[in-house]
Amino acid sequence: MTGADVLRSVSLARAAFAGVPDDGWARPAGTLSWTCWETMEHMADDLFAYAGQLATEFAARGDTYVPFVWRALRDGGPQNTIFVEEAAGTAGLLRALEACGGMLATVVDAAGAERRGWHPYGVSDADGFAAMGVVEVLVHAWDVADTVGVVWTPPAELCQAVLDRLFVDVPAHDDPWKVLLWATGRADLPGFPVRDNWTWDGRPHSERG
């Protein structure tokens, strides 16, 4: 996957949520304990963090995230580096998301084939971090969508690309979006147990056992 996929996912989210009123973000996002605003901030923060992981030489990073300061603004809220001024409203929130998506897309496309970045789900490459960024946007947008009254069904080919890169052990199905929701513990898939604990595999395909 490439920076274009990251930009596409962010563009879809921006278009979907552009009509949410400034005061429409305060309720919990689906079954999460975070508000819709916090979930969108977390989405932007993930894109920013992934860009940081991939932007530095792997040998200098060790086995942890780049040591940006992470903090929560309230007990139970997400620990982020990126927060958005609430006075900026919906337009500001989506602008921040777009900015962080642009950072990740630029770093992904500039990274060489040998560049690696650390992630707890496996040291990954540019292709992997692009896929991680896309999955964060797709599934967290789903977390938010029902609460704010938005219909969110991302393109099948984008969902399938994420599955092919990060979830190679999932069952074949004619609805990649439904499989992605199941793979991330968000929906049932007939004939398969609910995923209470799940991860993806970000390692490059060539480096998997």
Side-chain angles (χ1 to χ4, degrees):
M1 301 187 74
T2 69
D5 296 307
V6 176
L7 294 177
R8 184 184 184 194
S9 67
V10 170
S11 178
L12 290 167
R14 181 163 187 168
F17 295 111
V20 176
D22 291 348
D23 61 357
W25 300 97
R27 288 176 293 165
T31 61
L32 302 181
S33 61
W34 302 338
T35 68
C36 293
W37 183 277
E38 289 171 335
T39 304
M40 297 293 286
E41 283 181 326
H42 169 78
M43 189 192 303
D45 189 76
D46 279 335
L47 299 174
F48 170 83
Y50 293 163
Q53 290 305 104
L54 197 60
T56 57
E57 291 292 341
F58 178 70
R61 285 199 301 275
D63 58 355
T64 187
Y65 285 113
V66 177
F68 300 119
V69 174
W70 290 2
R71 61 191 176 95
L73 296 184
R74 65 170 182 87
D75 289 344
Q79 292 195 353
N80 292 349
T81 302
I82 300 299
F83 295 97
V84 182
E85 291 286 352
E86 290 192 17
T90 297
L93 183 62
L94 297 178
R95 185 180 180 192
L97 176 66
E98 186 176 41
C100 293
M103 292 178 201
L104 178 57
T106 299
V107 173
V108 162
D109 289 343
E114 301 306 314
R115 179 59 64 89
R116 298 289 184 268
W118 184 86
H119 189 279
Y121 293 174
V123 170
S124 197
D125 56 5
D127 177 60
F129 275 100
M132 290 181 224
V134 171
V135 75
E136 294 286 359
V137 173
L138 298 188
V139 302
H140 283 309
W142 182 87
D143 293 332
V144 171
D146 264 358
T147 303
V148 298
V150 166
V151 175
W152 177 251
T153 306
E157 69 274 12
L158 193 59
C159 300
Q160 188 63 56
V162 169
L163 293 170
D164 290 343
R165 180 59 184 82
L166 299 177
F167 298 96
V168 296
D169 60 339
V170 297
H173 194 277
D174 60 1
D175 188 344
W177 176 225
K178 185 176 292 185
V179 177
L180 184 57
L181 289 174
W182 172 81
T184 56
R186 286 169 167 80
D188 295 332
L189 193 65
F192 297 92
V194 174
R195 281 193 157 187
D196 294 324
N197 294 305
W198 59 272
T199 60
W200 60 62
D201 189 347
R203 294 174 299 164
H205 288 300
S206 61
E207 298 175 16
R208 296 177 185 179

